[in-house]
Amino acid sequence: MSRGQQQFRQLLTNMLPKGGAGGAGGSGGSGGGGAAAVSSTALIVGVGLLGWGINASLFNVDGGHRAVKYSRISGVVDKVYNEGTHFNIPWFETPILFDVRAKPRNIASLTGTKDLQMVNITVRVLSRPQVERLPEIYRTLGTDFDERVLPSVVNEVLKSVVAQFNASQLITQRERVSKLIRDNLLIRANQFNITLEDVSITHVAFSPEFTHAVEAKQIAQQEAQRASYIVDRAKQEKQSIISATLIGDAVKNSPGFIELRKLETAREIASVIARSNNRVYVDSEALMLNVSCTHWTLVSGLLAI
């Protein structure tokens, strides 16, 4: 027997009275101790049940969430519970929590254009449920409402909008295409009590055949532009040669041709200076008017011709 047990037995011995009457009294004391133990156990159990009942009767709604109640008696209650702690009846009522923050989702769809080209288009939607319609959303769609609605709705809208445009228009008129997709999605999602905060086209990919055809067309256009440039430059070079030949022949046949061009240049310089707001003083050398009488005779003869 351990020392602790010996001390406990000694304590009980000291508490019991001596003799026969003491034995009877001891029996009564033992009965009173058993009743006290039962009372203590019942108190502990009662406190535990009370704590469990209080805990089961309260539920918390975290930030960015809302809650609705399902009652075993009346079904889904038409009331939305905001953030905080709320009361419910255990077993009879069950709180259902909804995340009402905007959630992004990327949805891809393979569809055809107006000119029968296949295009793989990806749309990013930012959606959230309409808070005041949460009881109806839970009745009709459940807590995974976005998974049930958005993929099918987005595919339907993408196919209907893309079919109105050619493959090239999806690139050149991308802003218009995006606006049509956004407007149609807002209308369709609102029918299911879902609000779309943002809709944007993130990726557009065409079939490999169409991509190769576009690249070949661009290469052909670049080669055509290069050939046109070469032809234009050859024409300019030819025109320059002809002009140089004509000027050489004119100088050779009419010595006063250079003086005539000199006078025309001087007239242009004088006209520019006359229209200027600044006062400019120049001599005949600067105006290219330093021509001799012999030159004037040659020019006069050229003008007479």
Side-chain angles (χ1 to χ4, degrees):
M1 183 178 298
S2 65
R3 182 178 179 181
Q5 292 176 344
Q6 292 177 355
Q7 291 177 352
F8 180 73
R9 171 169 289 190
Q10 183 67 33
L11 179 61
L12 291 177
T13 304
N14 294 333
M15 291 176 63
L16 294 176
K18 304 295 183 179
S27 300
S30 299
V38 171
S39 300
S40 301
T41 304
L43 179 62
I44 294 174
V45 172
V47 172
L49 290 175
L50 179 62
W52 175 85
I54 295 175
N55 182 67
S57 300
L58 300 176
F59 67 94
N60 293 325
V61 180
D62 297 332
H65 292 71
R66 297 294 185 273
V68 296
K69 281 184 182 180
Y70 170 74
S71 173
R72 295 180 182 270
I73 300 174
S74 58
V76 179
V77 180
D78 291 329
K79 180 181 178 181
V80 178
Y81 294 86
N82 296 324
E83 301 168 359
T85 301
H86 304 276
F87 176 80
N88 72 304
I89 302 175
W91 191 83
F92 287 99
E93 294 180 341
T94 303
I96 296 96
L97 299 179
F98 282 87
D99 187 353
V100 296
R101 294 171 292 188
K103 294 184 292 185
R105 175 184 289 269
N106 291 325
I107 301 175
S109 176
L110 180 64
T111 181
T113 61
K114 188 177 180 179
D115 53 353
L116 304 180
Q117 296 293 335
M118 299 305 297
V119 56
N120 192 353
I121 183 169
T122 302
V123 174
R124 177 183 178 272
V125 294
L126 200 62
S127 63
R128 62 176 179 83
Q130 297 178 6
V131 174
E132 65 279 2
R133 310 293 292 177
L134 284 178
E136 183 178 349
I137 292 176
Y138 182 70
R139 288 193 192 99
T140 57
L141 299 173
T143 56
D144 57 343
F145 57 92
D146 52 346
E147 185 69 30
R148 293 171 179 262
V149 173
L150 290 181
S152 58
V153 169
V154 171
N155 273 282
E156 175 191 353
V157 171
L158 287 178
K159 292 181 184 298
S160 62
V161 172
V162 172
Q164 303 176 23
F165 297 88
N166 295 330
S168 59
Q169 292 175 334
L170 292 179
I171 300 175
T172 58
Q173 302 181 23
R174 180 163 181 167
E175 183 176 355
R176 181 186 173 193
V177 174
S178 179
K179 184 178 183 302
L180 284 176
I181 292 175
R182 179 168 53 253
D183 294 343
N184 284 273
L185 277 178
L186 288 175
I187 296 173
R188 293 288 287 123
N190 189 61
Q191 296 175 357
F192 297 94
N193 303 312
I194 298 175
T195 300
L196 299 183
E197 299 290 346
D198 180 65
V199 178
S200 58
I201 300 175
T202 59
H203 180 69
V204 177
F206 297 95
S207 62
E209 295 78 9
F210 179 79
T211 304
H212 295 330
V214 171
E215 292 176 353
K217 183 179 180 180
Q218 291 178 346
I219 293 173
Q221 289 178 348
Q222 292 174 358
E223 291 179 350
Q225 292 176 355
R226 182 180 179 184
S228 177
Y229 170 75
I230 293 174
V231 171
D232 292 340
R233 191 174 70 174
K235 289 181 179 179
Q236 292 176 359
E237 291 177 352
K238 184 178 180 181
Q239 188 68 29
S240 301
I241 294 173
I242 293 174
S243 299
T245 303
L246 293 176
I247 293 174
D249 293 341
V251 172
K252 181 178 180 181
N253 298 329
S254 302
F257 178 77
I258 295 179
E259 299 299 330
L260 179 61
R261 296 297 299 272
K262 190 175 181 181
L263 289 174
E264 291 177 351
T265 303
R267 182 176 61 183
E268 293 177 359
I269 295 174
S271 177
V272 172
I273 294 175
R275 290 194 300 268
S276 175
N277 295 327
N278 301 324
R279 294 180 178 273
V280 181
Y281 297 93
V282 294
D283 54 6
S284 60
E285 185 72 23
L287 287 174
M288 303 179 68
L289 294 176
N290 54 340
V291 292
S292 61
C293 294
T294 304
H295 293 159
W296 276 107
T297 304
L298 293 174
V299 171
S300 300
L302 182 60
L303 293 175
I305 296 176

